[in-house]
Amino acid sequence: MGDPLEEIIGSDIRQYMSAEDMETARHVRRQLLLGQSFTQPYEQKLTRKDKSDVILMLSSNMVKHGDDPPVFEHVARDVTRERRMQDNLRHYVQQITRIQEEERNRISRDLHDDTAQALYVLRRQVDNFARSAGDLPLEATIFLKGLGEQIKSILQGYGVSVRTYDRRCWMIWAF
């Protein structure tokens, strides 16, 4: 446990236990006295004199010899370091997951912005072509106008608003 062995031997174990941990110990004792099974090994936390915690993995048995009072046998393994390493690993995995999610969102925004800009430029090029081509057949003019509207619809699906103030001026904003 970290405290000198001479100080631990013969001392009252309750001084190292919280109320919750005492309840765990009472439950184990009660189950053993009643001959009932319980989950083993079980975890028990003790607090050193320096107020640091020790986490033990315990297996407990009751030994009875004739008319003598029962004796409780406990085998403990200190798992404090393991638990801290698991907690650190869990924290590390949470941090990695959070960073991955942030990066995924950033890439998604970048792709969204790049795609919207490319579509906006394409729409401008279609409009410029339709204006500069002079006398286009009616079918070609209708096709180009429809293509421009399809691009506008796609942009709006990306959450981008495209408004025409006149034939030569386009405005674009993100919602």
Side-chain angles (χ1 to χ4, degrees):
M1 227 180 76
D3 290 338
L5 192 56
E6 302 81 39
E7 289 181 26
I8 297 173
I9 294 176
S11 65
D12 187 351
I13 192 69
R14 291 179 288 190
Q15 69 182 341
Y16 298 103
M17 300 172 80
S18 69
E20 180 182 336
D21 296 313
M22 280 299 297
E23 186 53 40
T24 300
R26 283 186 193 105
H27 173 74
V28 167
R29 181 174 180 254
R30 202 170 23 254
Q31 296 300 98
L32 289 170
L33 286 170
L34 294 172
Q36 296 178 346
S37 64
F38 58 97
T39 304
Q40 290 203 60
Y42 61 96
E43 198 171 281
Q44 186 76 54
K45 187 168 67 170
L46 302 176
T47 304
R48 293 183 179 124
K49 287 182 181 178
D50 67 2
K51 303 297 182 208
S52 62
D53 290 332
V54 176
I55 302 169
L56 301 174
M57 192 58 76
L58 284 156
S59 291
S60 298
N61 293 303
M62 185 177 72
V63 180
K64 188 157 171 64
H65 293 288
D67 292 336
D68 293 337
V71 176
F72 296 99
E73 174 186 60
H74 305 283
V75 178
R77 183 171 64 93
D78 187 346
V79 294
T80 307
R81 200 165 153 217
E82 284 177 48
R83 290 294 185 266
R84 286 191 183 129
M85 287 171 47
Q86 288 173 350
D87 289 345
N88 289 340
L89 182 60
R90 194 173 5 267
H91 177 72
Y92 178 71
V93 168
Q94 287 172 344
Q95 293 292 70
I96 294 289
T97 303
R98 182 185 57 79
I99 289 167
Q100 285 176 333
E101 185 66 20
E102 288 172 2
E103 183 66 9
R104 188 190 66 73
N105 287 336
R106 185 195 63 77
I107 290 169
S108 175
R109 278 191 310 273
D110 288 350
L111 287 173
H112 177 274
D113 293 347
D114 291 348
T115 303
Q117 289 173 355
L119 286 169
Y120 175 72
V121 168
L122 181 61
R123 176 146 187 210
R124 291 291 310 259
Q125 289 173 341
V126 167
D127 186 55
N128 288 340
F129 177 76
R131 277 188 314 207
S132 66
D135 293 330
L136 285 174
L138 182 59
E139 264 182 29
T141 304
I142 291 171
F143 174 77
L144 289 173
K145 200 173 223 182
L147 188 58
E149 288 304 313
Q150 284 179 359
I151 295 169
K152 179 181 177 182
S153 175
I154 292 168
L155 281 168
Q156 288 172 338
Y158 272 99
V160 174
S161 177
V162 180
R163 299 199 180 141
T164 307
Y165 283 97
D166 65 38
R167 247 184 110 63
R168 291 162 293 166
C169 179
W170 292 83
M171 298 293 286
I172 185 168
W173 348 196
F175 286 117

